[in-house]
Amino acid sequence: MRDDETNNEQDLELTDADDAVIGVWFKRSVLAFAAIGALVAIGVSWQRRPAEEEPQVEIEQEAPETVVVDSEAPRIPFTDVTLEAGIDFVHTNGAEGEKLLPETMGSGAAFFDFDNDQDQDLLLVNSNNWPHSGKHNFGVHSRLYENDGTGRFTDVSRETGLDASLYGTGIAVGDVDGDGRTDVFLAAVGENRLLRNTEKGFVDVTRRAGVAGDAATWSTSAAFFDADNDGDLDLYVSNYVKWSREIDREVGYQLTGVGKAYGPPVNYEGTQPTFYLNRGDGTFADASEAAGMRVLNEASGVAVGKGLGVLPIDLDSDGLLDLFVANDTVRNFLFHNLGDGTFEEVGEFWGVAYGREGEATGAMGIDAGYLRNDGELAFGIGNFANEMTSLYLSQGDPTFYADEAIGEGIGAPSRLALSFGLLFLDADLDGRLDVVQTNGHLESEINAVDPSQTYEQAAQLFWNAGSSGRAGFQLLAPESVGDLAQPIVGRGSAYADIDGDGDLDVVMTQAGRRPLLLRNDQDRGHHWLRVALTGKALNREAIGARLELTAAGVTQRREVMPSRSYQSQSERPATFGLGDATAIDALRVIWPDGSVQEVAVEGVDRLLEIVQP
C-alpha cells in the first residue's frame, strides 16, 4: 500500500477516536515541518496526528513572569546502588522485532512495607514473552525484594507468592480488607490480578474479588482510595487504548529509513476506565458507569480516555477524594467527587484538560503537591518529546488552574525530553518540593529520523529555589546529580527512604532493561521529620489523610497517597524537610474520616508514628 493511502486511512480512524485539539497544534506546525524537510518531518510527526475539532474552553491568564533565581543551586548527588543493593531484576517486554506497542511502554514499581517491619520493600512489575512467540516464561515474573532496613534487598518473590507471571504494567498497593497488611493489585495487558497479603504470603483472590477486568483490555496505572467515605478502599484502574496484535499490525506504523516502528496512540481507539466499589466483604462491584466515569466523544460516541497516570487527591479540601487522570494525546480528566457516589468530569472547566495552547498533550506520569508552601496546589504531568512538562497551579481558587511551567523555569528545559515518571519530593530536605522526571523515548531508532531525540535519555532534577516568595525551579546540571543523569530508557518511578537516613531515594524502571535504584547522597545538613500514620476501621493505612506541619513560620502540606508518577507507587510515610529548623511549631493531621488531631512533636531527624485516636 502506498504511503498516501495509509495516511488517509489513519486520518479517518483519528476522526472517530481522538480529541481535536490535537488538530489545532498540527495545523500550526505544518509550515514548520515543511521547512525542515521530509526526513525530520517524519521524525517530528511521531508527536501527534490531527483529529476532529471540539469546543474549547478559553481561559484568560496573564503572561508568565520570567523567573530569576538568585540562589546558588546545590549539589544533590544520587548514586546507582542497584546491583550493590541486591536488585538483579531485568524487565522482559517480549520484543522480537514486531514492534508491538505494549513492548515499549514499560512497567512500574512500588515501595511499600509488605512485612510491617518499618522499612520499605520494593516490588518490580514484569511483563512477559508473547504467547505467539513460543518462548517459555520460566523465571519471567514480578519480583518482591525485602529490605533489611539498611537499603540492602533480598528476593523473596517465590516464598511470598509474589512471583506473578503476566504481561504486567502498573501496580496499586493498599490494605483492602483492613487486616493491617498491604495488598497488591497488578494491572496488565490482559486480565489484572489482586493478591491478598496473608500470614502465609500473598494469595490470588482476583476471581472472588471480581477485579480481573476484560481479557482484551490493556490496563495501566491504578489507585486504591476511599471514593465514598465508607472507610474501605475502592479501586480505580486506568485503561489505555483498544489494542490487539492484529490491530497493531493493521496500523502498521512506519518511519522512513527505519521501517516498522512503535506508533503513537492517536492511531488507536480510546477506552473506558474501570472503577470498582469495595463492598467490604472481599468483593468489588463495577461502578464505572453509575459513578460517572465513562467519558465519550460527543461527536462520535467513541470512548475518549487513553489513561496512563492517575492520582486521587482532595482538590478542594471538602473531605472527598477527587481523581486526576493523565490521558495520552487526548484531554486529561478531572473527576470531582460530588459526595453522593458520583463524580463530575470538570477538567476543561477547571483548566487542567489541555496544554498552554489549548492542545491535548502526550500526558503520562503525574504528581501533585504544594510547591510554594502557600496553600496553592500544583499538578505536574510528564509529556511526550517536544512538549513541555505541564505544571498546573491553582490561582487562588481550588477550581481554577493555569499552566505555569514556563514561568516557573520547568517549561523550556523539559521540552525535548520524553517524560514518563514524574515525582514531587524534597530531594535536599530544605523544606521545598523539587521535581524529578524519568525520561526515555519509545523508538530505539528515533535519532535516525529526529536528530534532537535519543532513545536513552537522562532523568532531570528541577531544584525548587523558592526565591522571592515564589517557587522558581532550576534544572540541576548532570555533575550535580550524579548517577541520576545517566541516560536510560526510563519509564516508572517511585521514592522511599530505603536506608533510614531521612532523605528520599528513588527507583526508575526501564523498558526491557534493569531498573535504576538511586541512593540519595545529599549532604546539606538539613533536618527532617518523617511521619507514619495508622488509621482505624478498614482504612488502617490512612490513605487520603492530610498533614500540615509548621516550622520556622512555614507550613508544609502532604497527603498520604501511594499512587503517583507512572504505573507506580511510592511509600506512605510523609517526609518533611526542615532546612535549618530544629523544632516543630505545629503538626496537624486531618484523618480520612474528617477528624482533626493536633500532635506535639519533640525532636527532629526521626520517624514519628501516629495512631488515630
Side-chain angles (χ1 to χ4, degrees):
M1 182 179 290
R2 292 182 296 114
D3 287 345
D4 55 348
E5 292 174 342
T6 302
N7 290 338
N8 287 337
E9 289 182 10
Q10 291 177 345
D11 288 344
L12 289 174
E13 292 176 16
L14 296 182
T15 300
D16 287 337
D18 293 306
D19 276 5
V21 282
I22 308 166
V24 176
W25 178 91
F26 184 86
K27 291 172 185 175
R28 293 176 180 175
S29 303
V30 168
L31 293 177
F33 288 167
I36 61 176
L39 186 64
V40 176
I42 293 171
V44 176
S45 71
W46 247 93
Q47 308 313 313
R48 302 293 169 253
R49 299 285 305 278
E52 61 179 303
E53 291 204 1
E54 284 186 353
Q56 297 180 29
V57 177
E58 295 287 339
I59 299 177
E60 296 183 3
Q61 64 181 71
E62 296 180 1
E65 299 177 16
T66 300
V67 173
V68 178
V69 180
D70 55 8
S71 302
E72 183 178 349
R75 289 183 69 257
I76 309 177
F78 285 79
T79 303
D80 180 358
V81 295
T82 312
L83 295 177
E84 173 190 334
I87 306 298
D88 57 356
F89 174 87
V90 179
H91 179 252
T92 298
N93 61 4
E96 292 187 317
E98 280 194 281
K99 296 293 182 84
L100 302 176
L101 188 56
E103 296 168 357
T104 195
M105 299 303 286
S107 57
F111 280 118
F112 70 111
D113 184 8
F114 88 92
D115 50 4
N116 289 337
D117 64 354
Q118 303 303 310
D119 54 42
Q120 299 302 310
D121 309 301
L122 175 62
L123 177 60
L124 294 163
V125 181
N126 209 351
S127 300
N128 223 325
N129 294 306
W130 295 111
H132 61 262
S133 71
K135 288 186 176 180
H136 67 75
N137 288 310
F138 179 76
V140 181
H141 55 80
S142 297
R143 298 283 186 92
L144 176 63
Y145 291 90
E146 182 180 10
N147 189 348
D148 69 357
T150 70
R152 294 188 177 275
F153 294 84
T154 302
D155 186 345
V156 294
S157 309
R158 292 207 180 278
E159 53 262 51
T160 59
L162 255 179
D163 54 344
S165 182
L166 72 171
Y167 204 98
T169 54
I171 182 172
V173 297
D175 182 1
V176 300
D177 50 10
D179 65 354
R181 291 184 291 266
T182 304
D183 308 301
V184 172
F185 176 84
L186 295 176
V189 177
E191 292 189 349
N192 305 315
R193 294 198 194 165
L194 177 61
L195 301 165
R196 182 169 172 259
N197 190 348
T198 74
E199 292 180 356
K200 296 181 179 180
F202 287 87
V203 177
D204 190 336
V205 295
T206 311
R207 294 296 172 195
R208 180 176 185 276
V211 294
D214 191 324
T217 298
W218 174 357
S219 300
T220 55
S221 293
F224 284 116
F225 72 112
D226 186 2
D228 52 2
N229 274 7
D230 65 351
D232 54 31
L233 296 179
D234 308 301
L235 174 63
Y236 180 92
V237 183
S238 294
N239 296 320
Y240 192 33
V241 295
K242 185 177 180 181
W243 179 90
S244 68
R245 184 187 181 204
E246 291 69 33
I247 292 173
D248 204 313
R249 295 169 74 178
E250 245 179 69
V251 168
Y253 190 79
Q254 303 278 324
L255 283 177
T256 299
V258 173
K260 181 73 168 73
Y262 293 111
V266 290
N267 295 321
Y268 298 84
E269 190 175 298
T271 61
Q272 299 289 8
T274 311
F275 172 61
Y276 298 100
L277 275 176
N278 191 336
R279 292 192 179 104
D281 60 358
T283 66
F284 290 77
D286 186 342
S288 311
E289 187 169 355
M293 291 184 175
R294 302 283 187 178
V295 181
L296 296 175
N297 183 307
E298 293 181 3
S300 65
V302 174
V304 173
K306 297 182 180 181
L308 284 181
V310 59
L311 179 70
I313 188 167
D314 184 356
L315 282 155
D316 46 4
S317 301
D318 62 355
L320 301 169
L321 285 171
D322 311 297
L323 199 69
F324 197 126
V325 180
N327 283 312
D328 191 2
T329 72
V330 295
R331 73 179 192 261
N332 301 318
F333 298 155
L334 181 54
F335 292 108
H336 182 224
N337 194 332
L338 300 180
D340 59 359
T342 67
F343 292 76
E344 180 185 15
E345 204 286 289
V346 296
E348 291 176 307
F349 300 106
W350 289 22
V352 296
Y354 305 113
R356 291 183 57 86
E357 302 299 323
E359 80 286 10
T361 63
M364 287 173 272
I366 181 173
D367 205 351
Y370 296 88
L371 302 180
R372 299 172 176 170
N373 290 331
D374 61 356
E376 298 293 343
L377 184 63
F379 288 98
I381 297 180
N383 291 319
F384 204 82
N386 296 317
E387 296 176 344
M388 295 181 296
T389 292
S390 299
L391 190 67
Y392 302 104
L393 276 88
S394 58
Q395 306 293 301
D397 179 341
T399 69
F400 180 59
Y401 290 79
D403 188 344
E404 298 190 18
I406 293 176
E408 291 296 326
I410 289 179
S414 67
R415 185 183 294 276
L416 284 181
L418 199 168
S419 302
F420 278 86
L422 183 143
L423 293 168
F424 290 170
L425 70 157
D426 187 353
D428 60 344
L429 301 176
D430 64 354
R432 298 184 296 269
L433 290 172
D434 310 300
V435 180
V436 174
Q437 293 193 163
T438 302
N439 306 322
H441 210 282
L442 300 180
E443 177 54 58
S444 60
E445 303 298 325
I446 189 62
N447 188 250
V449 295
D450 186 349
S452 73
Q453 291 297 310
T454 57
Y455 185 44
E456 299 172 325
Q457 299 182 6
Q460 296 171 299
L461 173 52
F462 291 92
W463 176 64
N464 188 339
S467 60
S468 303
R470 285 175 54 87
F473 290 86
Q474 283 186 288
L475 175 61
L476 296 189
E479 58 269 23
S480 296
V481 297
D483 292 332
L484 184 140
Q486 63 177 291
I488 60 172
V489 188
R491 296 296 184 260
S493 60
Y495 61 72
D497 179 9
I498 63 172
D499 48 10
D501 63 355
D503 55 32
L504 292 172
D505 312 294
V506 174
V507 67
M508 298 177 176
T509 67
Q510 296 196 72
R513 300 185 181 187
R514 295 183 182 277
L516 206 63
L517 181 62
L518 297 163
R519 185 184 66 215
N520 188 338
D521 287 333
Q522 65 85 28
D523 59 357
R524 302 195 68 195
H526 291 152
H527 298 289
W528 49 272
L529 183 73
R530 286 170 52 76
V531 181
L533 302 181
T534 300
K536 61 183 182 181
L538 293 175
N539 189 3
R540 297 280 298 278
E541 297 179 330
I543 289 178
R546 289 174 288 152
L547 299 102
E548 298 176 354
L549 179 147
T550 302
V554 175
T555 298
Q556 301 180 52
R557 296 168 175 83
R558 301 285 188 272
E559 185 163 306
V560 179
M561 185 55 62
S563 298
R564 58 188 69 239
S565 188
Y566 171 73
Q567 299 190 148
S568 298
Q569 308 273 290
S570 290
E571 65 171 5
R572 284 189 302 106
T575 295
F576 294 92
L578 302 175
D580 296 328
T582 58
I584 306 299
D585 301 327
L587 176 62
R588 189 168 177 250
V589 182
I590 301 96
W591 293 96
D593 63 5
S595 61
V596 178
Q597 182 179 1
E598 304 286 345
V599 181
V601 181
E602 296 181 4
V604 296
D605 301 334
R606 66 190 185 95
L607 173 67
L608 176 64
E609 298 180 53
I610 303 174
V611 179
Q612 185 175 7

